[in-house]
Amino acid sequence: MADNFLERQREDYELRKKAWQKGHRRVQVGRRNIDKPDDEAL
């Protein structure tokens, strides 16, 4: 087994992860403001 096997595996993983994240960017959704009544007992 090669001395740098784990390092190479980690580098390959990081490259795949970066490529996946580039294609799956998270879109931030704004929160809706819900109008609450003045009297919360209602």
Side-chain angles (χ1 to χ4, degrees):
M1 202 153 87
D3 292 337
N4 60 352
F5 175 79
L6 293 176
E7 289 84 1
R8 222 173 341 125
Q9 293 295 322
R10 180 68 179 202
E11 289 173 6
D12 292 343
Y13 164 76
E14 293 293 338
L15 289 173
R16 288 193 315 269
K17 180 180 172 185
K18 190 177 287 187
W20 182 85
Q21 286 178 337
K22 186 177 181 182
H24 291 85
R25 288 193 178 163
R26 198 168 212 177
V27 178
Q28 290 186 355
V29 177
R31 294 185 179 203
R32 288 190 248 169
N33 291 333
I34 300 173
D35 294 331
K36 293 184 178 180
D38 293 332
D39 185 10
E40 299 227 358
L42 295 176

